[in-house]
Every structure is written in C-alpha cells, then in structure tokens.
C-alpha cells in the first residue's frame, strides 16, 4: 500500500509539474537538479528535461543573469542560490542570456525551500515564467501611443533666417539668427536666439552644420537633409535654401525636431514558468508538491479520478477566492465562467463538462482555454484567465486524476485591448487626413495604405500592392536609386525618421511630386521593426513657388538692369529694398541702408533739406522730385535726379513708394562747360575784335591824315619822310594782324588735331640768338633789354619754326609784363634734354594763376591793361608738349618777377601732329 501511495503521489507530482505552463526545477542541497519539467527545458533552450539534470556550476557557465537596468547578477545572488540559502522568492524579474547561443529572454522567478519533519531544508524549488512577450507587449503599447501622437505633432515646423559667417578662405565658421518663428524654441530649445550667433548659443555645435549651410549660401543649392546635433542632444529634419542676394549669404531653414521617439510599449504576453526540481524521495514528494503549489504564480487545482477536488494552491485562492471543494464533476456548475476566446462561443457560460479539468479527466488535452470568470469572493467582478489542464496517469496509463493551471491574464487582455484601440485611432486618423498614409511592417515586408491612396493616386490598396516592391515600382526611375539608398540608410542606421522628395506614378501613368516623411519604430535592441509615413502632394506648392520665383526674378532682373538706382519704401518712408545698382554705386549693404540709413551717403550740406522734403511728400502722398549729390563707394559725390511715386491700393491708400535716382552729373558738367565755353567765346570775340580793330584803326587814321593833307595841298603830306614813316607804321600793324591771325589759325589746328611738328637738325643757341636779334629793337624800345647765357652750340632736332614761335611768345610777354627791366635768357643741356628759361623782373604771377595762364584766353592781368588774345602761352604749351617736352612758370608772386621754363628733348621724334 505504501509503495502504491508513493507511486501515486509521485505520479501526481509529475503530472502537476508537467501540466504547468511554468517551468519547475528542483535542486538538492548540493546544487544538483533532481527534478525538472519539460516547460523548464523549453524556457531554458534545452531539447528535453533530461539534458537539464546537471549541477549549478554547469548553469553558471552557460547562463548570465542581469537586472532590468543591465547590472550583472553574480551566481551567489541567483534565485536558486537564494532559495538554497533558505529564502522564499515571489515573482523576481531578471534578464537571462545563454552564452553559447546568445538567446535572451525575460524571466520571472519564484521559489521556496522544502523541509523535512525536523524542519531541516532538504530541497530547493524554483519556478520560472517566461515574460518576454509581456515586456514586448508593454513596449508595443507605448510605441502605438507615440505613433498616434506623432501624426499631430509633426504638423508644426520651425523656421529661421540666418546670416552665414565665413573666414578669409570662404569657409563657413559661424552663423547668426536674424529671424525665428514661434515653433523655433520648441524644436531647438534655444530661447531669444534672434541677433545671436550659434556659437554663443551652442558652443560645441558639430562642424557639419557650418559645412552644409555654407554650401547652400555659396552655391544657392537648396538642400533637404537630416542631421544630428550632439551638442543639442537633438536630431533635425531640415530644408535649407539661400535667400536674397548671394553676397548677403542668407540661408532660410524649415525644420523640425525628430529626436528619438521611444518605441511604445510592446504587447504583453505572459509566459508560464517551469519548475526546476522535484523531490528525490517518495516521502518528500507530498511536501514538494505543497511547496510547488505554494510557490506557483498560477492557480493550481488537483482532482482525483472522480472529479473530487483534492488540492488547490494560494494562487488559485487569489484568482477565485475561497473555492468549494467540489466532490464530483457535476458540482462544477458552481464555478461561474464565460468563454472569452473570440470564437462563436464568445460570452457563453462554460458548462460543467466543458471546464478544462473535466476534459482532462476524460483524457483530453486542454492546452489553453481563455475564460472570463467571476470570483467566489467578489460577485460582479470579472477576471480573464488562461486555463490549461492535463490528466494524471499511472505507469500503466490509467487516469488517476487531473490537474489544471489557471493564469490570470486580465492585465494582458487589457493591454491588448489598449493596443487595439490605439491601432483603431491610427486607422481613423489615416481616414481623416488628405495625405497618403502608409504602414510598413519591416519584419514581414507588408505595406498597408489608407484611403487617400485611392483619391490622390487613383490606386486601390490592392492595386498598388501590399509589399514594398509595389511601392518602389511606382517611384520615378530617376529618383528610385536615391530614395532606396536614403530610406535603407535610415533603417540600417540609428535614425528615427526619413524624409525625401520624389516623383510617384499615378494610376493614369502621370507623375506627381510628393514630400514623404517616415517615422521608424525600433525594438529594445535598436532593430527597425516598423515604419509609418505620410506623402504630401507638393504640386500646388511647387506651382506657387515657381510663380512667385518667376515674378520675383522678372522684377529683380528689370530693377537690377535699369540705369538708375532704385528703391522701395513702405507707407511711412521706411526703405526696405534697393536694386543692385544702388549697392554697386554706394558700396553699402541692405543692413546699412535699411530704413533711414540712406542719409549716410548724402552730402552733409544737402541731407537736411532732402530729409525734410521727403517727409513732406510722404505725408502728402504727392510725387516727389529732387536733385542732390550722393557719395559713391570711392568717396566721390555725384549729382542725381530723384523721382518717387506712391503705390496705392484699391482704396487709394498709399502702401508703398517706388523711387529712382538718375545720375545727372555728366549733364550738369556738360551744361557748365557749355556755359563756360559760351562765356569764353563771347570774351574771345570781344578781345579779338578789339585786337583786330586796333591796328586797322591806326592805319586808317594815318591814311586819313595823309588824305586830308593832300586834299588841302599840303606838300609835306606826300614827302618821302612822311611816306617812309607811314609805310613803317603800316608794316608794324600788318605784322601785328598777321600774328593775331596766325594765333587764331594755330588754335583751329590744335582743336582739329592738325598742328604739325616737322623736326629738323638745328642749333638751339643760334636759333635763340636769331629771335633775340630780330626782337632786339623792340625789346630796347620797351626798356627790357635781353641778354643770353648759353654755351657756344647745342645740337637739337626740333621744328625751328614752332620753337621760334615759343621763344617769341615768351619774349613778347617779357616786354609786356617786364616792368621795363632787363630780361635774361638761358640755355643749358642736361642728360639729353635742353632747358630754355626767360627770366624777367616784372609784375610776377600769383601762385593760384600759374597753371591757369596756360589755358586759352587766359592772361595774368586784365585785357584792359595789356592787349592780346591770351593765346600765346596756350599755343606754346601745345607746341612744347608736341615735341615731348614741358613748359611751366616759376614766380614768388606779384611784383617778384617771373621765369618761364621750357624743357625739351634734344632730339624730338619724327614729324607728327
């Protein structure tokens, strides 16, 4: 009888252990496995329970345990070690890893010591439960909720305008924020950024940002990219483009923060633990069973062959409350339960013969019924449990009873329902949006599309296909390679999102450009498992951008190519735009000139007048016209005619002013030169008429006197002496007329470029003596005798007629202005050049007039004092310069005399004009 009871007890124990979904393993006090069920073998990665009958040292070599935070758990702190030390464990959660296979899973440990009648510990029972799916379910739930929120949070994007800063090698080294929108701070975490450089806000910002934005500023190429900013702890999706003139180096950004979105909790699935040990002796098996039942987290019910309930454990009491110890299967109707497995029997009351315990007593297998129960101690309360049952057989296969294990899965069902609701919300959002939404399962390669795919693309979800290949087949061939590389780089890397702009084929064969944004979901190991994205049709945006860009380019092309400087102001007179010609002329920037900064380039003597007049017209709304000088980038002031007209709206209100500045400097100078020429002409005509009339009047007077004498019979009127004097005087006046006419002819030749120089060999000393000899009497008569200081001979190659004309002019001036004092003429040679000087002791010339007297019609003193056309020095300079020489005057001032100097090359060039 004792042997039979032992056999029955051991059979019951083994049946209970093997019926449990939890793993069960029993160690003796030496750390050897003495009993283990198949569930434990499956959990631990062994082919059978027999392979696990090893000692603790064996398991320490192939396993490692760690806490949830990753900290390693030494063997002395393992659950089995603690139970061997006499401790009782309840639901200790650890992470397990097999060193030989690399397999990892989450396990919940429970355990209790087994003692004999004396209270001495003889065994250690450890029960394990695989909760990996439970942890994954929690993460899936969190991921689902995050995806739901991300669809709404992705709407708001940050925007800013930046000025790029380059070094002398055109390498971008910094940038300054000029403008930001309200979402800027939320996306970047940077407050009050306007006006500040990024080096001030983020000192350790990665250099790649400067390189990318510098490229945009220098080339004008717009870039769309994703990049990481470790110094900010953020990832960004950015669209960068250049704005304004290239030299301003302005870049605009449209961006959003795409920092890592944590995967939501994954769906929880509880796994059952297995026992590790069993009792070695028959007399201990009953106590071992009690320990197993007490330590098991699942509710256990044991019934004999008649259906009488003989044992339950504390976990069963926590699940059901205080249960009736039914004496037969017929009494199982007292247990209230309803099917909850989603089948056609969902919600129907579980009949007595349908309970897993009843079916196990009939020899059937009941691997896992999902049932909703009402506990005995909590009427009206519902709990969901997983109910598994197995028969207990003896060695002959006869049914001795049955065991059921009942696991409370209420929390798991709730989590699954939460996931279902989250997925439903995701589905509703996909239906509500106009964007094409796709959901890509990266593990199965299945792609799901929302209804917008039909409206926007003309496809049904089935027509476009349910795999990524169907998606890829619709991408334009020119874009496909780039898109594939980009999306797989994001998936294979550590990115949380991907963005690209590409052309997608509609069902009618036409292509439309989409902006596609995808968010990547990853598991705990970082592996990409899912990707959800939306496709936004860019057709209208591109059309509007193209129209705006074309209009802007046409206006700027027109404004930058007109000859005038142009500008625009708002209704208050604040100037906000200038054309390129303004900046080219003034050498300024928009920052300097914006608003009322244009006053900086106005002449100080005119700026107040201009500002006052401008304000008056801004106030009255009348067309403004004004002339004033503006400073160029070289510092020169030029005169401009400014016209500004108001631009009005449909109600007649001034909204803007458009103005132009036309350079009239040349016009003003031409007008001034014309006035000066007219004045010079009138003066010349006055002087010329006087000079021409004077000798004629003298000859006319002499002839008239002779005529009167002859008429009155005066014999002396026709005397030889009288006639001789008349002829001499007439010759002098005729010579004077000839000189005046020659001067005027020379002026005409000079103006028309026909003054011819014909160099021939000549002795400069002899040439000068000849002129002095010819003019000697006139010099003596004027009281200005001349002396010559010169070497014996100076060989030269000049036009003797023209050089004689120069010397004559200088000596004639000495007679006129020499104040009746001696004149000294000097000739000397120096380094291949000959210097001629005529020095008088006469009236002298003021410093301010020493250059002026070489101009046409100019003289040192008034024409009323000394006669002459004022052409002699002008003609002399033209002759000297035509020989390759120069002429100037030296004088200390009025009353100090003058020295006229002529420097000529000894050998002038060949004949020329």
């Amino acid at each position: 009888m004792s042997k039979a009871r032992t056999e029955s007890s051991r059979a019951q124990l083994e049946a209970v252990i093997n019926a449990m979904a939890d793993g069960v393993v029993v160690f003796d006090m030496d750390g050897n496995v003495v009993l283990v069920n198949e569930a434990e073998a499956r959990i631990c990665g062994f082919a059978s329970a027999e392979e696990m009958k090893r000692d603790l040292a064996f398991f320490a070599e192939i396993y490692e345990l760690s806490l949830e935070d990753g900290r390693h758990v030494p063997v002395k702190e393992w659950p089995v070690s603690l139970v061997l030390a006499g401790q009782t464990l309840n639901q200790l959660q650890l992470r397990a890893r097999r060193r030989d296979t690399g397999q990892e899973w989450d396990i919940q440990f429970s355990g209790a010591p087994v003692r004999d009648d004396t209270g001495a510990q003889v065994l250690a029972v450890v029960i394990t439960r695989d909760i990996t799916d439970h942890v994954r379910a929690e993460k899936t739930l969190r991921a689902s909720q995050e995806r739901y929120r991300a669809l709404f949070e992705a709407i708001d994007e940050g925007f800013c305008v930046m000025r790029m800063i380059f070094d002398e090698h055109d390498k971008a080294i910094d940038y300054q924020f000029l403008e930001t929108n309200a979402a800027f701070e939320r996306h970047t975490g940077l407050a009050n950024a306007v006006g500040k450089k990024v080096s001030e806000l983020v000192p350790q910002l990665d250099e790649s940002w400067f390189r990318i934005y510098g490229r945009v500023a220098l080339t004008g190429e717009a870039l769309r990219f994703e990049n990481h900013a470790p110094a900010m702890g953020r990832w960004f999706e950015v669209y960068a483009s250049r704005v304004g003139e290239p030299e301003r180096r302005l870049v605009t950004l449209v961006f959003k923060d795409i920092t890592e979105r944590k995967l939501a909790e994954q769906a929880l699935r509880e796994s059952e633990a297995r026992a590790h040990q069993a009792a070695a002796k028959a007399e201990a098996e009953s106590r071992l069973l009690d320990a197993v039942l007490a330590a098991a987290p699942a509710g256990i019910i044991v019934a004999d062959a008649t259906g009488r309930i003989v044992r339950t454990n504390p976990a069963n009491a926590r699940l059901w409350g205080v249960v009736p110890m039914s004496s037969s299967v017929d009494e199982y109707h007292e247990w209230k339960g309803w099917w909850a497995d989603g089948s056609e029997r969902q919600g129907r009351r579980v009949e007595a013969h349908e309970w897993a315990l009843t079916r196990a007593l009939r020899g059937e297998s009941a691997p896992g019924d999902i049932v909703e129960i009402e506990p005995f101690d909590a009427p009206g309360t519902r709990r969901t449990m997983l109910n598994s049952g197995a028969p207990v057989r003896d060695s002959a296969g006869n049914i001795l009873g049955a065991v059921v294990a009942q696991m409370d899965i209420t929390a798991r069902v709730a989590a699954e329902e939460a996931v279902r609701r989250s997925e439903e919300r995701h589905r509703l959002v996909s239906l509500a949006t106009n964007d094409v939404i796709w959901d890509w399962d990266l593990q199965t390669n299945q792609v799901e599309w929302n209804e917008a795919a039909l409206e926007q693309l003309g496809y049904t979800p089935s027509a476009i296909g349910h795999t990524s290949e169907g998606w890829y087949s619709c991408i334009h061939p020119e874009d496909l390679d780039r898109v594939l590389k980009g999306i797989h780089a994001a998936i294979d890397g550590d990115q949380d999102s991907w963005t690209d702009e590409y052309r997608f084929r509609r069902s009618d064969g036409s292509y439309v450009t989409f902006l596609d944004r995808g968010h990547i979901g990853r598991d705990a190991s970082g592996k990409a498992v899912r990707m959800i994205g939306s496709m936004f049709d860019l057709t209208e945006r591109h059309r509007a951008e193209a129209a705006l860009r074309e209009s802007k380019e046409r206006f700027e092309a027109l404004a930058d190519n007109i000859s005038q400087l142009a500008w625009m102001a708002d209704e208050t007179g604040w100037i906000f735009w200038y054309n390129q010609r303004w900046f080219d002329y003034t050498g300024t920037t928009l920052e300097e000139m914006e608003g009322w900064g244009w006053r900086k380039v106005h002449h100080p003597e005119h700026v107040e007048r201009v500002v006052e007049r401008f304000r008056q017209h801004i106030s009255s709304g009348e067309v403004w016209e004004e002339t004033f000088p503006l400073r160029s980038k070289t510092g020169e002031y030029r005169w401009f005619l400014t016209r500004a007209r108001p631009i009005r709206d449909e109600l007649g209100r001034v909204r803007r002013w458009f103005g132009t500045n036309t350079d009239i400097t040349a016009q003003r100078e031409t007008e001034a030169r014309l006035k000066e020429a007219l004045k010079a002409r009138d003066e010349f005509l006055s002087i010329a008429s006087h000079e021409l009339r004077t000798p004629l009047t003298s000859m006319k007077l002499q002839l008239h006197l002779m005529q009167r004498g002859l008429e009155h019979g005066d014999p002396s009127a026709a005397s030889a002496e009288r006639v001789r004097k008349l002829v001499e005087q007439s010759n002098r006046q005729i010579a004077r007329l000839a000189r005046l006419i020659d001067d005027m002819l020379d002026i005409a030749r000079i103006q028309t470029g026909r003054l011819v120089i014909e160099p021939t060999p000549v002795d400069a000393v002899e040439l000068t003596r000849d002129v002095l000899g010819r003019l000697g009497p006139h010099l003596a008569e004027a009281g200005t005798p001349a002396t010559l200081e010169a070497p014996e001979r100076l060989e030269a190659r000049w036009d003797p007629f023209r050089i004689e004309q120069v010397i004559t002019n200088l000596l004639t001036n000495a007679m006129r202005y020499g104040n009746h004092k001696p004149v000294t003429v000097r000739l000397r040679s120096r380094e291949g050049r000959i210097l001629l000087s005529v020095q008088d002791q006469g009236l002298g010339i003021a410093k301010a007039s020493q250059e002026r007297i070489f101009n046409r019609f100019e003289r040192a003193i008034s024409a009323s004092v000394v006669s002459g056309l004022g052409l002699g020095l002008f003609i002399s300079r033209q002759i000297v310069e035509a020989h390759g020489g120069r002429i100037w005057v030296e004088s200390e001032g009025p009353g100090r005399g003058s020295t006229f100097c002529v420097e000529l090359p000894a050998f002038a060039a060949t004949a020329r004009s």
Side-chain angles (χ1 to χ4, degrees):
M1 289 294 292
S2 176
K3 181 178 180 181
R5 284 198 304 273
T6 298
E7 183 180 357
S8 174
S9 177
R10 183 179 182 86
Q12 288 183 4
L13 175 62
E14 291 179 349
V16 168
I17 291 175
N18 287 321
M20 292 177 63
D22 297 328
V24 180
V25 59
V26 181
F27 287 81
D28 63 19
M29 296 309 292
D30 294 326
N32 297 308
V33 175
V34 295
L35 184 61
V36 61
N37 67 351
E38 295 297 331
E40 180 66 12
R42 287 194 303 273
I43 291 173
C44 295
F46 288 90
S48 66
E50 286 298 316
E51 291 182 7
M52 287 193 64
K53 292 184 178 181
R54 306 290 187 92
D55 58 9
L56 182 57
F58 167 80
F59 295 107
E61 289 180 359
I62 66 170
Y63 289 103
E64 59 182 35
L65 300 181
S66 60
L67 298 174
E68 187 176 1
D69 59 5
R71 287 182 296 166
H72 179 70
V73 178
V75 176
K76 65 179 180 180
E77 295 178 11
W78 280 18
V80 62
S81 301
L82 299 177
V83 176
L84 285 170
Q87 296 185 32
T88 298
L89 302 179
N90 185 25
Q91 299 183 358
L92 174 63
Q93 182 175 331
L94 296 174
R95 183 74 174 170
R97 178 180 177 275
R98 278 193 65 159
R99 292 190 178 96
D100 56 344
T101 65
Q103 180 185 3
E104 294 185 7
W105 61 97
D106 297 281
I107 298 178
Q108 188 181 84
F109 292 87
S110 299
V114 178
R115 304 180 186 279
D116 59 14
D117 295 334
T118 66
Q121 182 176 349
V122 294
L123 296 170
V125 178
V126 177
I127 299 176
T128 61
R129 174 176 295 174
D130 185 353
I131 61 172
T132 305
D133 291 339
H134 171 79
V135 173
R136 185 177 298 116
E138 290 179 341
K139 293 180 179 178
T140 299
L141 176 59
R142 288 195 300 270
S144 178
Q145 293 171 343
E146 184 65 18
R147 287 194 301 272
Y148 174 72
R149 290 193 299 271
L151 288 174
F152 295 94
E153 295 172 351
I155 300 172
D156 192 11
E157 297 179 333
F159 172 83
C160 67
V161 179
M162 311 179 308
R163 179 177 64 85
M164 297 304 301
I165 300 172
F166 295 81
D167 62 15
E168 65 273 17
H169 304 296
D170 266 350
K171 177 183 179 183
I173 58 174
D174 207 346
Y175 51 86
Q176 181 184 26
F177 294 105
L178 303 181
E179 183 181 352
T180 63
N181 70 344
F184 179 90
E185 180 176 346
R186 174 163 55 80
H187 284 283
T188 64
L190 304 179
N192 303 317
V194 174
K196 297 179 180 177
K197 298 178 181 177
V198 75
S199 58
E200 302 172 52
L201 301 170
V202 189
Q204 302 300 322
L205 185 64
D206 184 65
E207 187 181 6
S208 63
W209 294 97
F210 303 129
R211 184 171 60 255
I212 295 171
Y213 294 153
R215 172 184 170 188
V216 173
L218 291 175
T219 67
E221 176 188 4
L223 295 178
R224 187 180 302 279
F225 63 95
E226 293 178 1
N227 200 16
H228 187 210
M232 300 174 69
R234 297 172 187 248
W235 279 85
F236 295 95
E237 171 191 323
V238 183
Y239 178 76
S241 62
R242 186 173 69 190
V243 65
E245 294 74 19
E247 60 271 22
R248 295 187 62 197
R249 308 245 172 120
L250 300 183
V251 175
T252 61
L253 304 183
V254 178
F255 67 95
K256 66 178 180 179
D257 183 0
I258 56 170
T259 308
E260 181 178 9
R261 300 176 179 89
K262 296 196 176 197
L263 297 176
E265 297 178 352
Q266 300 187 1
L268 171 65
R269 181 199 295 170
E270 294 187 354
S271 56
E272 302 173 343
R274 308 293 180 190
H276 278 286
Q277 295 182 343
K281 298 180 181 179
E283 59 271 17
E285 289 179 354
S286 179
R287 289 192 296 272
L288 177 59
L289 179 58
D290 289 338
V292 170
L293 294 176
I300 303 296
I301 299 177
V302 181
D304 62 15
T306 65
R308 181 173 64 86
I309 295 176
V310 295
R311 288 193 180 187
T312 63
N313 69 340
N316 189 74
R318 291 192 296 271
L319 181 64
W320 281 96
V322 180
V323 299
M325 301 301 286
S326 303
S327 59
S328 68
V329 171
D330 294 336
E331 296 181 4
Y332 289 176
H333 70 274
E334 298 176 355
W335 301 66
K336 294 182 180 180
W338 298 266
W339 292 106
D341 55 2
S343 67
E344 69 279 357
R345 60 189 179 183
Q346 172 79 21
R348 181 171 62 78
R349 177 75 180 265
V350 180
E351 301 295 338
H353 67 277
E354 294 178 314
W355 285 106
L357 184 59
T358 305
R359 293 180 359 243
L361 288 171
R362 295 199 297 265
E364 300 175 13
S365 174
D369 297 339
I370 299 177
V371 179
E372 194 176 59
I373 67 168
E374 181 180 290
F376 289 101
D377 60 350
T381 301
R382 296 288 182 98
R383 294 187 182 130
T384 304
M385 71 174 185
L386 183 65
N387 195 11
S388 301
V392 177
R393 301 177 185 272
D394 60 16
S395 57
N398 299 314
I399 295 176
L400 301 176
V403 176
V404 291
Q406 304 169 106
M407 184 168 60
D408 188 347
I409 61 171
T410 306
R412 189 189 79 179
V413 171
E416 291 174 347
E417 176 62 19
V419 171
R420 188 195 65 76
R421 288 196 301 269
S422 178
E423 295 293 342
E424 179 63 15
R425 287 196 298 269
H426 170 67
R427 186 185 69 82
L428 293 176
V429 169
S430 298
L431 292 174
T433 182
N434 290 326
D435 293 352
V436 176
I437 304 295
W438 47 267
D439 189 341
W440 183 12
D441 188 329
L442 299 176
Q443 296 177 306
T444 65
N445 197 31
Q446 292 294 301
V447 180
E448 296 182 3
W449 302 82
N450 69 340
E451 293 299 325
L454 176 62
E455 298 176 6
Q456 299 250 9
L457 305 173
Y459 291 111
T460 62
S462 60
I464 201 171
H466 293 286
T467 66
S468 61
E469 286 73 18
W471 174 15
Y472 295 159
S473 67
C474 295
I475 298 175
H476 195 286
E478 295 177 2
D479 300 334
L480 180 59
D481 185 61
R482 185 193 75 248
V483 173
L484 290 182
K485 288 181 179 178
I487 197 168
H488 286 289
I491 292 172
D492 298 338
D494 58 354
Q495 301 179 30
D496 290 328
S497 64
W498 159 83
T499 300
D500 204 345
E501 184 177 318
Y502 59 87
R503 291 163 289 180
F504 197 88
R505 188 180 65 249
R506 289 194 176 104
S507 60
D508 61 4
S510 63
Y511 283 91
V512 62
T513 301
F514 281 97
L515 174 63
D516 201 347
R517 295 188 180 97
H519 298 273
I520 303 170
R522 300 182 183 273
D523 60 20
S525 67
K527 178 183 177 182
V529 296
R530 189 177 186 183
M531 196 169 180
I532 296 178
S534 64
M535 298 167 61
F536 178 72
D537 189 345
L538 295 175
T539 303
E540 290 302 322
R541 179 192 292 182
H542 284 180
R543 186 178 295 118
E545 289 175 350
L548 178 61
R549 185 167 54 252
E550 181 181 357
S551 176
K552 182 175 181 291
E553 289 174 354
R554 284 200 303 268
F555 171 75
E556 290 181 349
L558 174 63
D560 287 341
N561 286 283
I562 62 175
S563 59
Q564 294 96 335
L565 314 183
W567 47 269
M568 282 195 291
D570 64 16
E571 69 279 6
T572 68
W574 179 274
I575 298 181
F576 59 86
W577 174 88
Y578 296 87
N579 70 344
Q580 187 58 41
R581 288 193 181 272
W582 175 279
F583 299 122
D584 292 342
Y585 174 75
T586 62
T588 60
T589 65
L590 180 61
E591 288 77 10
E592 295 176 277
M593 295 290 99
E594 196 172 25
W596 296 82
W598 48 268
R599 292 177 293 186
K600 300 175 184 176
V601 297
H602 275 252
H603 196 285
E605 297 178 3
H606 297 270
V607 64
E608 291 185 6
R609 169 180 63 85
V610 174
V611 171
E612 180 180 358
R613 293 276 294 164
F614 184 45
R615 291 188 189 276
Q616 290 174 357
H617 284 265
I618 291 295
S619 177
S620 66
E622 298 175 351
V623 174
W624 178 47
E625 185 170 310
E626 197 80 32
T627 57
F628 45 76
L630 290 176
R631 188 181 69 239
S632 72
K633 58 187 176 183
T634 64
E636 173 193 8
Y637 281 96
R638 297 183 66 83
W639 281 85
F640 286 83
L641 169 64
T642 291
R643 292 188 179 96
R645 293 183 176 274
I647 300 173
R648 303 179 184 272
D649 61 16
E650 64 276 4
L651 300 178
R653 294 172 298 191
V654 176
R655 290 303 185 190
R656 289 184 179 178
W657 287 81
F658 182 81
T660 60
N661 303 84
T662 304
D663 190 338
I664 59 171
T665 304
Q667 177 183 337
R668 287 171 63 92
E669 291 175 349
T670 300
E671 292 174 353
R673 285 195 300 271
L674 179 59
K675 290 179 181 178
E676 182 181 349
L678 291 173
K679 179 180 177 182
R681 181 200 65 183
D682 293 341
E683 183 178 352
F684 169 73
L685 292 175
S686 174
I687 295 172
S689 63
H690 172 75
E691 293 296 325
L692 291 171
R693 189 181 296 112
T694 298
L696 291 175
T697 301
S698 177
M699 286 190 294
K700 183 178 180 181
L701 178 61
Q702 294 297 324
L703 291 172
H704 179 68
L705 291 175
M706 180 179 286
Q707 182 181 8
R708 284 184 62 186
L710 293 173
E711 290 175 352
H712 289 83
D714 184 359
S716 65
S719 66
E721 181 62 24
R722 186 93 174 256
V723 171
R724 184 184 60 77
K725 290 182 179 180
L726 177 61
V727 171
E728 289 178 354
Q729 188 175 10
S730 297
N731 284 333
R732 286 197 300 271
Q733 300 302 330
I734 291 171
R736 182 178 178 185
L737 283 172
R739 286 197 304 274
L740 292 173
I741 293 171
D742 286 342
D743 284 349
M744 288 189 286
L745 288 174
D746 283 342
I747 287 296
R749 293 187 186 100
I750 291 169
Q751 288 180 332
T752 58
R754 292 186 290 110
L755 179 65
V756 178
I757 303 299
E758 297 178 348
T760 59
V762 64
D763 180 358
V765 177
E766 182 180 354
L767 177 64
T768 305
R769 285 197 181 101
D770 288 346
V771 176
L772 285 172
R774 187 172 66 254
L775 295 179
H778 301 288
L779 291 168
E781 183 181 349
T784 55
T787 59
L788 174 63
E789 296 178 4
E792 287 297 322
R793 185 175 182 84
L794 285 176
E795 295 294 335
R797 182 179 175 80
W798 297 339
D799 185 326
F801 172 74
R802 292 300 181 185
I803 297 303
E804 179 180 314
Q805 187 177 354
V806 172
I807 299 172
T808 300
N809 281 333
L810 295 180
L811 289 172
T812 302
N813 284 342
M815 284 190 290
R816 289 176 178 173
Y817 306 109
N819 202 20
H820 310 294
K821 294 181 180 179
V823 174
T824 302
V825 180
R826 295 182 178 89
L827 275 171
R828 60 183 182 274
S829 175
R830 182 177 60 193
E831 297 179 357
R833 300 181 75 83
I834 296 175
L835 179 63
L836 166 69
S837 65
V838 177
Q839 181 180 8
D840 65 49
Q841 303 176 47
L843 302 179
I845 303 173
K847 295 287 187 184
S849 301
Q850 291 179 11
E851 179 63 27
R852 176 179 59 81
I853 62 175
F854 290 97
N855 295 333
R856 283 180 297 179
F857 316 127
E858 295 287 352
R859 50 174 56 80
I861 61 176
S862 173
S864 61
V865 177
V866 178
S867 65
L869 295 177
L871 296 175
L873 290 178
F874 173 74
I875 294 172
S876 296
R877 169 173 278 185
Q878 303 304 314
I879 294 172
V880 169
E881 290 180 352
H883 278 78
R886 63 191 185 102
I887 183 171
W888 71 95
V889 64
E890 297 175 354
S891 176
E892 295 299 322
R896 307 289 294 276
S898 304
T899 301
F900 283 84
C901 303
V902 176
E903 184 183 60
L904 293 167
F907 297 94
T910 57
R912 59 179 176 173
S913 297

